[in-house]
Amino acid sequence: MSVTTSAAPATTRSAARTREAAAVGEETARPHMGADGRVAVLGIRHHGPGSARSVVAELDRLQPAIVLIEGPADAGEVLALAADPGMVPPVALLAYVPEAPRVSAFWPYAVFSPEWQALAWAAAHEVPARFCDLPAAAVLTGRGDISADTRPQERGGQEAGLCDDPLAALAAAAGYDDPERWWDDVVESRLDGQSPFAALTEAMGELRAGPPAAGHGELLRERQREAHMRQVLRAALKETAGTVAVVCGAWHAPALAGNLPPAAADAALLRGLTKRKATLTWVPWTHSRLAAASGYGAGITSPGWYHHLFTTPHQTIPRWLTKVAATLRDHDLPVSSAHIIEATRLAEALAALRARPLAGLAEVNEATRAVMCEGDDVAVAFVTRELVVGERLGAVPDSAPTVPLEADLRAQARALRLKVSPLEQTLTLDLRTETGRARSVLLHRLTALDIGWGSLTADPVRATGTFREIWSLRWRPELAAAVLDAAVWGTTVAIAATEKTVHTAATAAQLGIVTAAVERVLLADLPTALGPVLRALDEKAATDCDAAHLMAAVPALVRAARYGDVRETDTAALSTVVDALTFRVCAGLPAAVTGLADDAAVHLRAAVDAMHAALGLHAQGERGHAAHDQWLVALTTLAERRDVHGLLAGRVVRLLTDTGVLPADESARRFAAHLSVGMTATAKAAWAEGFLSGGGLLLVHDQTLLAVLDGWVASLPAQDFTDVLPLLRRTFGGFTAPERANIAAAVTHLTGGPAPQPGTGEAVDADRAAGVLRTVAMILGGWR
């Protein structure tokens, strides 16, 4: 049972009765029978294997004519699918507003959920089963447009704010300091088949007698929920002369047990209840999304363990530890049969010492850590992630209601042999093959629709060639809602991606968004979107005069133009756009570099680097030489100016040197000139940082430059050296370790300065110097 509140018993009498009810493990009482003995209320804890087992045993004993289950009452049309052989829990009921699919809610179920077992029992015995909680149409009322990442996952029986914690109160009454351990002892670990429902209902009744801690709105909502449950119960009693079993959260059990209040009062409470059109279906779920760590309100800490408890009633602990051993072996950790035997003995001994009926997760985890993992936290984490929580993914039958977009996505995934899995997997695509291109197109189209099944982990431009993509795939249950949200754009993945991309480009407030849309059009193979997106690009670029914005747009367009090499796409129009933007950038660059502050200079240097690299790539094509030459002319003009920020000026000289526009001796002359007198030490360091950033091989191979830099650093007064040291550290920190080592070796071979003469300068303390030399030698790895 997932609850967040509870009040302690108000009187000594109620406290005593709660202590008596808390001893549920010693009772054999049957559930409270109301409505002339024809109503059996089975109060459960959501996602509790002990509760599920007890529900099945009680239904077998009662043989009810109708089973009512806490859940959205308007799920009747899809409820029968629970009996379909293709329905494999964990699964979830998904309710959404058709015209606004982001407004949605989930009701998840695992195989060990009592509600799911009640559905399965009813299907197996051909007994009508219905949900009785407030309909989803009422649950969705008043919800705004919620993103899939923050959407609350609704659960029937998630009582908010009614009391502090009913489990804590019952556990304290029974002498437990841990509510979870108490519930695990008296319910979840029970294998004797005795019914706990009467005692739990009585205990919850005592707790409900205390003062509520919730606000008026929360209390009203809970009263409406229980009123609706009673109305459904009354209708079921009129329909049959047999027993009606009600499976609900234990907190609600007292409101449904015993004699029902007048129907008029419940009708008045529900009168005026607002509703919203809702559509319901089933979607796959995972154990990790059932975990409390996922943010799920009715979450549990160990869904994998609970699944094992429910499905393995015999030799529970040895079989679990056998799974633990297999998991550890999968990670190349040595675990033998002897480890399993010793861990089993330790877990059972701990349970006996703690007077527990069965070794619980705490004892099993302690035994696992001590015996099988030898105290290694990393090994324990493997077990927790892969077994205690787990990533079991459910399945729903093809007959489950779905939107056309989802059907198209499923069909394409099957055709391309893309496995839907909750486990992260790496997929390397060769775009020169038909299958590789088709998979890439589908994944890029889904990305355009914000359906994050896959994420691109390597930039195709920086990878080896443009023919390879590396994707990381992981299907998360909430993506089902993202599919529904994307369905408003079209009935197929291609149509929806086209419509959304065009809309994004047309309504974009920034040029960078439009250029990203252009790139996406080609990656996702959306030919009909290219024209409208390019028109949007022209309009946005025509009104944007910021050189930095225009420069930021060029790399994406160049990348898009390059995709034509392997995607067989006509990208001639993109080359024209790149040429036009380059012309505008070159025209606006002189003004853009004037009077820059330090942070603005850093930003503009990055933009210049990105555009320079993009135009160099563009020049490799048939039409890119003119734009690249124009860009080099603009950089040459900047290099002659003296009013440009040192960070940017140094970078421009370095780019011109690397492309061969400036010869090496000329760049060395400029380097020496900017490190000479006339500027502050900080300004000189900024120029040096701009020139040297991006790689240290130039210093390794050019002794003249290295001598200039070494001489300047050596000549700095103490205070200036202290001021520029952070800039120099940042510059050299950007070099790779081999580059730094080669520079250090090259410095030792410099011969540009005269050797020091004996007897000049301060005397050297040999003993103090020896310690420094040892430390330096250790850092450089040369001291033994």
Coordinates of all heavy atoms in Angstrom, one line a residue, residues 17-88:
R17 N -5.9 -1.0 20.5 CA -6.5 -1.8 19.5 C -5.6 -1.9 18.3 O -5.5 -2.9 17.5 CB -7.8 -1.2 19.1 CG -8.8 -1.3 20.2 CD -10.2 -0.9 19.8 NE -10.7 -1.9 18.8 CZ -11.9 -1.8 18.2 NH1 -12.7 -0.8 18.5 NH2 -12.3 -2.7 17.4
T18 N -4.8 -0.8 18.0 CA -3.9 -0.8 16.9 C -2.8 -1.8 17.2 O -2.4 -2.6 16.3 CB -3.3 0.6 16.7 OG1 -4.3 1.5 16.4 CG2 -2.3 0.6 15.5
R19 N -2.3 -1.9 18.4 CA -1.3 -2.9 18.7 C -1.8 -4.3 18.5 O -1.1 -5.2 18.0 CB -0.8 -2.7 20.2 CG 0.2 -1.5 20.3 CD 0.8 -1.6 21.7 NE -0.1 -1.4 22.8 CZ -0.4 -0.2 23.3 NH1 0.1 0.9 22.8 NH2 -1.3 -0.1 24.3
E20 N -3.0 -4.5 18.9 CA -3.6 -5.8 18.7 C -3.8 -6.1 17.3 O -3.5 -7.3 16.8 CB -5.0 -5.8 19.4 CG -5.7 -7.2 19.3 CD -7.1 -7.1 19.9 OE1 -7.4 -6.1 20.5 OE2 -7.9 -8.1 19.7
A21 N -4.2 -5.2 16.4 CA -4.4 -5.4 15.0 C -3.0 -5.6 14.3 O -2.9 -6.3 13.3 CB -5.1 -4.3 14.4
A22 N -2.0 -5.0 14.9 CA -0.7 -5.1 14.2 C -0.1 -6.5 14.3 O 0.8 -6.8 13.6 CB 0.3 -4.1 14.9
A23 N -0.6 -7.3 15.2 CA -0.2 -8.7 15.3 C -0.9 -9.5 14.3 O -1.3 -10.6 14.6 CB -0.4 -9.2 16.7
V24 N -1.0 -9.0 13.1 CA -1.8 -9.6 12.1 C -1.3 -11.0 11.7 O -2.0 -11.9 11.3 CB -1.9 -8.7 10.8 CG1 -0.5 -8.5 10.2 CG2 -2.8 -9.3 9.8
G25 N 0.0 -11.2 11.9 CA 0.6 -12.5 11.5 C 0.1 -13.6 12.4 O 0.3 -14.8 12.0
E26 N -0.5 -13.3 13.5 CA -1.0 -14.4 14.4 C -2.4 -14.7 14.2 O -3.0 -15.5 14.9 CB -0.6 -14.0 15.8 CG 0.9 -13.8 16.1 CD 1.1 -13.3 17.5 OE1 0.1 -13.2 18.2 OE2 2.3 -13.1 17.8
E27 N -3.1 -13.9 13.3 CA -4.6 -14.0 13.2 C -5.0 -14.9 12.0 O -4.2 -15.0 11.1 CB -5.2 -12.6 13.1 CG -4.9 -11.7 14.3 CD -5.8 -10.5 14.3 OE1 -6.8 -10.5 13.5 OE2 -5.5 -9.6 15.0
T28 N -6.1 -15.4 12.1 CA -6.7 -16.1 11.0 C -8.1 -15.6 10.6 O -8.8 -16.2 9.9 CB -6.9 -17.6 11.4 OG1 -7.7 -17.7 12.5 CG2 -5.5 -18.2 11.7
A29 N -8.3 -14.3 11.0 CA -9.6 -13.7 10.7 C -9.9 -13.5 9.2 O -9.0 -13.4 8.5 CB -9.7 -12.4 11.4
R30 N -11.1 -13.5 8.9 CA -11.5 -13.3 7.5 C -11.9 -11.8 7.3 O -12.1 -11.1 8.3 CB -12.7 -14.2 7.1 CG -12.4 -15.7 7.2 CD -11.2 -16.0 6.3 NE -10.8 -17.4 6.3 CZ -9.7 -17.9 5.8 NH1 -8.9 -17.1 5.1 NH2 -9.4 -19.2 5.9
P31 N -12.0 -11.3 6.1 CA -12.2 -9.9 5.8 C -13.6 -9.5 6.3 O -14.5 -10.3 6.4 CB -12.2 -9.8 4.3 CG -12.4 -11.1 3.8 CD -11.8 -12.0 4.8
H32 N -13.7 -8.2 6.7 CA -15.0 -7.7 7.2 C -16.1 -7.9 6.1 O -15.8 -7.7 4.9 CB -14.9 -6.2 7.5 CG -14.3 -6.0 8.8 ND1 -14.7 -6.6 9.9 CD2 -13.3 -5.1 9.2 CE1 -14.0 -6.1 11.0 NE2 -13.1 -5.3 10.5
M33 N -17.2 -8.4 6.4 CA -18.3 -8.6 5.5 C -19.4 -7.6 5.8 O -19.8 -7.5 6.9 CB -18.9 -10.1 5.6 CG -17.8 -11.2 5.5 SD -17.2 -11.3 3.8 CE -18.6 -11.9 2.9
G34 N -19.8 -6.9 4.7 CA -20.8 -5.9 4.9 C -21.9 -6.1 3.9 O -21.9 -7.1 3.2
A35 N -22.9 -5.2 3.9 CA -24.1 -5.3 3.0 C -24.7 -6.7 3.1 O -24.7 -7.5 2.1 CB -23.7 -5.0 1.6
D36 N -25.1 -7.1 4.3 CA -25.8 -8.4 4.5 C -24.8 -9.5 4.3 O -25.2 -10.6 3.8 CB -27.0 -8.6 3.6 CG -28.1 -7.5 4.0 OD1 -28.2 -7.1 5.1 OD2 -28.8 -7.1 3.0
G37 N -23.5 -9.3 4.5 CA -22.6 -10.4 4.4 C -22.2 -10.7 3.0 O -21.6 -11.7 2.7
R38 N -22.5 -9.9 2.0 CA -22.2 -10.2 0.6 C -21.0 -9.4 0.1 O -20.7 -9.5 -1.1 CB -23.4 -9.9 -0.2 CG -24.6 -10.9 0.1 CD -25.6 -10.8 -1.1 NE -26.2 -9.5 -1.2 CZ -26.3 -8.9 -2.4 NH1 -25.7 -9.4 -3.4 NH2 -26.9 -7.7 -2.4
V39 N -20.4 -8.5 0.9 CA -19.2 -7.7 0.5 C -18.0 -8.1 1.3 O -18.0 -8.1 2.5 CB -19.5 -6.2 0.6 CG1 -18.3 -5.4 0.2 CG2 -20.7 -5.8 -0.2
A40 N -16.9 -8.5 0.5 CA -15.7 -8.9 1.2 C -14.6 -7.8 0.7 O -14.3 -7.7 -0.5 CB -15.2 -10.3 0.8
V41 N -14.1 -7.1 1.7 CA -13.1 -6.0 1.3 C -11.7 -6.5 1.6 O -11.4 -6.9 2.8 CB -13.4 -4.7 2.2 CG1 -12.4 -3.6 1.8 CG2 -14.8 -4.2 1.9
L42 N -10.9 -6.5 0.6 CA -9.5 -7.0 0.7 C -8.6 -5.8 0.6 O -8.3 -5.3 -0.5 CB -9.2 -8.0 -0.4 CG -10.3 -9.1 -0.6 CD1 -9.8 -10.1 -1.7 CD2 -10.6 -9.9 0.7
G43 N -8.2 -5.3 1.7 CA -7.3 -4.1 1.7 C -5.9 -4.5 1.5 O -5.3 -5.4 2.2
I44 N -5.3 -4.0 0.5 CA -3.9 -4.4 0.1 C -2.9 -3.3 0.0 O -3.3 -2.1 0.2 CB -4.0 -5.1 -1.3 CG1 -4.7 -4.2 -2.4 CG2 -4.8 -6.4 -1.3 CD1 -3.9 -3.2 -3.1
R45 N -1.7 -3.7 -0.1 CA -0.7 -2.7 -0.4 C -0.3 -2.8 -1.9 O 0.0 -3.9 -2.4 CB 0.6 -3.0 0.4 CG 1.7 -2.0 0.2 CD 3.0 -2.4 0.8 NE 4.0 -1.3 0.8 CZ 5.3 -1.5 1.0 NH1 5.7 -2.7 1.3 NH2 6.1 -0.5 1.0
H46 N -0.3 -1.7 -2.6 CA -0.1 -1.8 -4.0 C 1.3 -2.3 -4.3 O 2.3 -2.0 -3.6 CB -0.2 -0.4 -4.7 CG -1.5 0.2 -4.4 ND1 -2.7 -0.3 -4.8 CD2 -1.9 1.4 -3.7 CE1 -3.7 0.4 -4.4 NE2 -3.3 1.4 -3.8
H47 N 1.4 -3.2 -5.2 CA 2.7 -3.9 -5.6 C 3.3 -4.6 -4.5 O 4.5 -4.6 -4.3 CB 3.7 -2.8 -6.1 CG 3.2 -1.9 -7.1 ND1 2.5 -2.3 -8.2 CD2 3.2 -0.5 -7.2 CE1 2.1 -1.2 -8.9 NE2 2.5 -0.1 -8.3
G48 N 2.5 -5.3 -3.7 CA 3.0 -6.2 -2.6 C 2.8 -7.6 -2.9 O 1.6 -8.1 -3.1
P49 N 3.8 -8.4 -3.0 CA 3.7 -9.9 -3.4 C 2.9 -10.6 -2.3 O 2.1 -11.5 -2.6 CB 5.1 -10.4 -3.5 CG 6.0 -9.4 -2.7 CD 5.3 -8.1 -2.9
G50 N 3.1 -10.3 -1.0 CA 2.3 -10.9 0.0 C 0.9 -10.6 -0.1 O 0.0 -11.5 0.1
S51 N 0.6 -9.4 -0.4 CA -0.8 -9.0 -0.6 C -1.4 -9.7 -1.8 O -2.6 -10.2 -1.7 CB -0.9 -7.5 -0.8 OG -0.6 -6.7 0.4
A52 N -0.6 -9.8 -2.8 CA -1.1 -10.5 -4.0 C -1.4 -11.9 -3.7 O -2.5 -12.5 -4.2 CB -0.1 -10.4 -5.2
R53 N -0.5 -12.6 -3.0 CA -0.7 -14.0 -2.7 C -2.0 -14.2 -1.8 O -2.8 -15.1 -2.0 CB 0.5 -14.5 -2.0 CG 0.5 -16.0 -1.9 CD 1.8 -16.5 -1.2 NE 3.0 -16.3 -2.1 CZ 3.9 -15.4 -1.8 NH1 3.8 -14.6 -0.7 NH2 4.9 -15.2 -2.7
S54 N -2.1 -13.3 -0.8 CA -3.3 -13.3 0.1 C -4.6 -13.1 -0.7 O -5.6 -13.7 -0.4 CB -3.1 -12.3 1.2 OG -2.0 -12.7 2.0
V55 N -4.6 -12.2 -1.7 CA -5.8 -11.9 -2.5 C -6.2 -13.1 -3.2 O -7.4 -13.5 -3.3 CB -5.5 -10.7 -3.4 CG1 -6.6 -10.6 -4.5 CG2 -5.5 -9.4 -2.6
V56 N -5.3 -13.8 -3.9 CA -5.6 -15.0 -4.6 C -6.2 -16.0 -3.7 O -7.2 -16.7 -4.1 CB -4.3 -15.5 -5.4 CG1 -4.6 -16.8 -6.0 CG2 -3.9 -14.5 -6.4
A57 N -5.6 -16.2 -2.6 CA -6.1 -17.3 -1.6 C -7.5 -16.9 -1.2 O -8.3 -17.8 -1.1 CB -5.1 -17.4 -0.4
E58 N -7.7 -15.7 -0.9 CA -9.0 -15.3 -0.4 C -10.1 -15.4 -1.5 O -11.2 -15.8 -1.2 CB -9.0 -13.8 0.2 CG -10.1 -13.5 1.1 CD -10.2 -14.3 2.3 OE1 -9.2 -14.9 2.7 OE2 -11.3 -14.4 2.9
L59 N -9.7 -15.0 -2.7 CA -10.7 -15.1 -3.8 C -11.0 -16.6 -4.1 O -12.2 -16.9 -4.4 CB -10.1 -14.5 -5.1 CG -10.0 -12.9 -5.1 CD1 -9.3 -12.4 -6.3 CD2 -11.4 -12.3 -4.9
D60 N -10.0 -17.5 -3.9 CA -10.3 -18.9 -4.1 C -11.3 -19.4 -3.0 O -12.1 -20.2 -3.3 CB -9.0 -19.7 -3.9 CG -8.1 -19.6 -5.2 OD1 -8.7 -19.3 -6.3 OD2 -6.9 -19.8 -5.1
R61 N -11.1 -18.8 -1.8 CA -12.0 -19.2 -0.7 C -13.4 -18.7 -0.9 O -14.4 -19.4 -0.7 CB -11.5 -18.8 0.6 CG -12.3 -19.3 1.8 CD -11.8 -18.7 3.1 NE -12.2 -17.3 3.2 CZ -13.4 -16.9 3.6 NH1 -14.4 -17.7 3.9 NH2 -13.7 -15.6 3.6
L62 N -13.5 -17.4 -1.3 CA -14.8 -16.7 -1.4 C -15.6 -17.1 -2.6 O -16.8 -17.1 -2.6 CB -14.6 -15.2 -1.4 CG -14.0 -14.5 -0.1 CD1 -13.6 -13.1 -0.4 CD2 -15.1 -14.6 1.0
Q63 N -14.9 -17.3 -3.7 CA -15.6 -17.5 -5.0 C -16.6 -16.5 -5.3 O -17.8 -16.8 -5.5 CB -16.2 -18.9 -5.1 CG -15.2 -20.1 -5.0 CD -14.3 -20.1 -6.3 OE1 -14.8 -20.0 -7.4 NE2 -13.0 -20.2 -6.1
P64 N -16.2 -15.2 -5.4 CA -17.2 -14.1 -5.5 C -17.8 -14.1 -6.9 O -17.3 -14.7 -7.9 CB -16.3 -12.8 -5.3 CG -15.0 -13.3 -5.8 CD -14.8 -14.7 -5.3
A65 N -19.0 -13.5 -7.0 CA -19.7 -13.4 -8.3 C -19.2 -12.2 -9.1 O -19.2 -12.2 -10.3 CB -21.2 -13.2 -8.0
I66 N -18.6 -11.2 -8.4 CA -18.1 -10.0 -9.1 C -16.9 -9.5 -8.3 O -16.9 -9.6 -7.1 CB -19.1 -8.8 -9.2 CG1 -20.3 -9.2 -10.0 CG2 -18.5 -7.6 -9.7 CD1 -21.4 -8.1 -10.1
V67 N -15.8 -9.1 -9.0 CA -14.6 -8.6 -8.4 C -14.5 -7.1 -8.8 O -14.4 -6.8 -10.0 CB -13.4 -9.4 -8.8 CG1 -12.1 -8.7 -8.2 CG2 -13.5 -10.8 -8.4
L68 N -14.5 -6.2 -7.8 CA -14.2 -4.8 -8.0 C -12.8 -4.5 -7.6 O -12.3 -4.9 -6.5 CB -15.2 -4.0 -7.2 CG -16.7 -4.2 -7.5 CD1 -17.6 -3.3 -6.6 CD2 -17.0 -4.0 -9.0
I69 N -12.1 -3.7 -8.4 CA -10.7 -3.4 -8.2 C -10.5 -1.9 -8.2 O -11.1 -1.2 -9.1 CB -9.8 -4.1 -9.2 CG1 -10.1 -5.6 -9.2 CG2 -8.4 -3.9 -9.0 CD1 -9.6 -6.3 -10.4
E70 N -9.6 -1.4 -7.3 CA -9.3 0.0 -7.3 C -8.6 0.3 -8.6 O -7.5 -0.2 -8.9 CB -8.5 0.3 -6.1 CG -8.2 1.8 -6.0 CD -7.3 2.1 -4.8 OE1 -7.6 1.5 -3.7 OE2 -6.4 2.9 -4.9
G71 N -9.1 1.3 -9.4 CA -8.6 1.6 -10.7 C -9.6 2.5 -11.4 O -10.8 2.6 -11.0
P72 N -9.2 3.1 -12.5 CA -10.1 4.1 -13.2 C -11.4 3.3 -13.7 O -11.2 2.4 -14.5 CB -9.3 4.6 -14.3 CG -8.2 3.6 -14.5 CD -7.9 3.0 -13.2
A73 N -12.5 3.8 -13.3 CA -13.8 3.1 -13.6 C -14.1 3.1 -15.1 O -14.9 2.3 -15.6 CB -14.9 3.7 -12.8
D74 N -13.5 4.0 -15.9 CA -13.9 4.1 -17.3 C -12.9 3.3 -18.2 O -12.8 3.5 -19.4 CB -13.9 5.5 -17.8 CG -12.7 6.3 -17.4 OD1 -11.8 5.8 -16.6 OD2 -12.5 7.5 -17.7
A75 N -12.2 2.3 -17.5 CA -11.2 1.5 -18.3 C -11.9 0.2 -18.8 O -11.2 -0.7 -19.2 CB -10.0 1.1 -17.4
G76 N -13.2 0.1 -18.7 CA -13.9 -1.1 -19.1 C -13.6 -1.6 -20.4 O -13.5 -2.8 -20.6
E77 N -13.5 -0.8 -21.4 CA -13.3 -1.2 -22.8 C -11.9 -1.9 -23.0 O -11.8 -2.7 -23.9 CB -13.4 0.0 -23.8 CG -14.8 0.6 -23.8 CD -14.9 1.7 -24.9 OE1 -13.9 1.9 -25.5 OE2 -16.0 2.3 -25.0
V78 N -10.9 -1.6 -22.2 CA -9.6 -2.2 -22.4 C -9.3 -3.2 -21.3 O -8.2 -3.8 -21.3 CB -8.5 -1.1 -22.4 CG1 -8.7 -0.2 -23.6 CG2 -8.5 -0.3 -21.1
L79 N -10.2 -3.3 -20.3 CA -9.9 -4.2 -19.2 C -9.8 -5.6 -19.6 O -9.0 -6.4 -19.0 CB -11.0 -4.0 -18.1 CG -10.5 -4.3 -16.6 CD1 -9.3 -3.5 -16.3 CD2 -11.7 -4.0 -15.7
A80 N -10.6 -6.0 -20.6 CA -10.6 -7.4 -21.0 C -9.2 -7.8 -21.6 O -8.9 -9.0 -21.6 CB -11.7 -7.7 -22.0
L81 N -8.5 -6.9 -22.1 CA -7.2 -7.2 -22.7 C -6.2 -7.7 -21.6 O -5.2 -8.3 -22.0 CB -6.6 -5.9 -23.3 CG -7.2 -5.5 -24.6 CD1 -6.7 -4.1 -25.0 CD2 -7.0 -6.5 -25.7
A82 N -6.5 -7.5 -20.4 CA -5.6 -8.1 -19.3 C -5.5 -9.6 -19.4 O -4.5 -10.1 -19.0 CB -6.1 -7.6 -17.9
A83 N -6.5 -10.2 -20.0 CA -6.5 -11.7 -20.1 C -5.8 -12.1 -21.4 O -5.7 -13.4 -21.6 CB -7.9 -12.2 -20.0
D84 N -5.4 -11.2 -22.3 CA -4.8 -11.6 -23.5 C -3.5 -12.3 -23.3 O -2.7 -11.7 -22.5 CB -4.7 -10.4 -24.4 CG -4.3 -10.7 -25.8 OD1 -3.2 -11.2 -26.1 OD2 -5.1 -10.4 -26.7
P85 N -3.2 -13.4 -24.0 CA -1.8 -14.0 -23.8 C -0.7 -13.1 -24.1 O 0.4 -13.3 -23.6 CB -1.9 -15.2 -24.7 CG -3.4 -15.5 -24.9 CD -4.0 -14.1 -24.9
G86 N -0.9 -12.1 -25.0 CA 0.2 -11.2 -25.3 C 0.4 -10.1 -24.3 O 1.4 -9.3 -24.4
M87 N -0.4 -10.1 -23.2 CA -0.2 -9.1 -22.2 C 0.7 -9.6 -21.1 O 0.4 -10.6 -20.4 CB -1.6 -8.7 -21.5 CG -1.5 -7.5 -20.6 SD -1.3 -5.9 -21.3 CE -3.0 -5.7 -21.9
V88 N 1.9 -9.1 -21.0 CA 2.9 -9.6 -20.1 C 3.3 -8.4 -19.2 O 4.0 -7.5 -19.6 CB 4.1 -10.1 -20.9 CG1 5.2 -10.6 -19.9 CG2 3.7 -11.2 -21.9

